[in-house]
Amino acid sequence: MNRTLISLGLILLSTLSSVSAIGPSAAGWKNGAYPLKSGNILIPVSKNWRIITRNEHIDTGIPNTGWNYKPQIMDINGDGLSDVLLAYGHKWHMMLATSETSFASPVSTGIYNGGWENSPLVLDINGDGKDDLLVATNRKWQIMISKGNGFDVVKTDLSNVGWNYNPLIMDVNGDGRSDVVLAYGRTWNILFSTGRGFEEPVNTGVANHGWNYKTFSTDVNGDRKDDIVTAFGGKWHVIESNGRGFDPIESTGVSNEGWSTAQLIEHSDFSGPEICWLADKRMNDRMERYCLSLKNSSTPRYVSSSHPRNNHGSIIVVNKTTIAQVEDTDGSAHPYWYFEKINRGWTWP
């Protein structure tokens, strides 16, 4: 990169850039909490699937069979709503969304669910706007390509080496199709999409430092090619895509303190991605939110937002600007969902 990505300083803004709200009870959150495109959260509780909005629990009335077999949240039919792919009864089942707060009952795809336990990856391999599924099974990669109402199964001859080293789904060359970036052999390796499969792996020669810490894929510099942001060696680092591989690793110079709580925020106003995390820098038993701007910035922004230390649980990104987490705000042992909108001046939608 021929620019200064980020300076070493942290700037405390004179006005807050976050808006917070306490939501409904967080009962059942430890069973899994799945963000939906609508900005709501899906959880399995009391034998049914429930949808959490900022104001209420909605019981879908649908049994949560398969909740403990790594449900996959994906837009199967390309309608802009989050659907659910479930592994139970030795088959994959589709639970299609009918609205932002309701689902149709699950329907079997008839496809064997082998590999469900190997952390399947949601991607759009052909760029058609319908999500597909990449599965590591029998030492090979298998692709389930969505038809909207089911899937075609493509069995590749490519070894699935690296499946268990936090693979990244990203568009490395900017062609609108999902590629796979794998950490093995001490370097980052790329499987470029062909639309119905992948090319042979490309060894980028770039060291895969940070694969076992927090690693994100996002378009840092606005060139429509996804880059890697990773935490290692005490700093945040950026690895930019050049279309066929990656440029050398560049340190931001900013401490990666709080990396374990870090989340990627991709602002809907296209102002560039940020990494946000929690840290108790003031040593007052209160966790504050820090946000590190990644796009053409000489001074990262800072968002102050107070949270009780040791009283926060699961932290997830609900949509492009909203973080949700579980907090026992009053110490009553009855936690609630806490929604925080990270923004640059706008208010709640």
Side-chain angles (χ1 to χ4, degrees), residues 222-238:
D223 65 356
R224 300 181 183 245
K225 296 187 289 288
D226 288 337
D227 312 301
I228 297 175
V229 181
T230 184
F232 69 91
K235 307 291 182 184
W236 286 105
H237 295 74
V238 173

Side-chain angles (χ1 to χ4, degrees), residues 141-162:
W141 290 111
Q142 177 177 289
I143 311 162
M144 294 171 54
I145 300 179
S146 176
K147 300 183 295 184
N149 59 355
F151 296 89
D152 286 333
V153 176
V154 177
K155 296 182 179 181
T156 77
D157 291 326
L158 295 172
S159 168
N160 60 29
V161 60

Side-chain angles (χ1 to χ4, degrees), residues 302-321:
Y302 169 86
V303 176
S304 178
S305 184
S306 186
H307 306 266
R309 176 181 278 278
N310 298 327
N311 280 348
H312 61 275
S314 177
I315 301 174
I316 61 175
V317 173
V318 179
N319 56 27
K320 285 185 178 295
T321 60

Side-chain angles (χ1 to χ4, degrees), residues 19-21 23 41 53-54 318 322-324 337-341 348:
V19 181
S20 305
I41 300 169
T53 72
R54 284 193 291 270
V318 179
T322 304
I323 286 176
W337 282 104
Y338 180 98
F339 290 84
E340 183 176 4
K341 189 171 183 67
W348 286 89

Side-chain angles (χ1 to χ4, degrees), residues 58-98:
I58 299 174
D59 191 334
T60 65
I62 299 174
N64 57 35
T65 307
W67 69 269
N68 52 341
Y69 294 141
K70 299 187 178 179
Q72 301 298 312
I73 306 300
M74 51 197 295
D75 185 357
I76 294 172
N77 52 14
D79 64 357
L81 298 174
S82 294
D83 309 307
V84 187
L85 193 63
L86 298 162
Y88 63 86
H90 302 293
K91 304 291 183 183
W92 291 105
H93 294 73
M94 299 183 300
M95 190 169 78
L96 297 178
T98 55

Side-chain angles (χ1 to χ4, degrees), residues 141 158-159 161 168-174 177-184 187-193 198-206 226 228 239-247:
W141 290 111
L158 295 172
S159 168
V161 60
L168 295 169
I169 300 298
M170 51 194 293
D171 185 358
V172 177
N173 53 11
R177 301 183 301 203
S178 298
D179 309 307
V180 184
V181 177
L182 300 161
Y184 63 84
T187 59
W188 294 107
N189 300 267
I190 306 172
L191 297 178
F192 283 102
S193 171
F198 299 102
E199 297 176 8
E200 290 293 323
V202 174
N203 186 337
T204 66
V206 177
D226 288 337
I228 297 175
I239 309 171
E240 288 194 352
S241 169
N242 56 35
R244 288 299 302 174
F246 296 110
D247 291 337

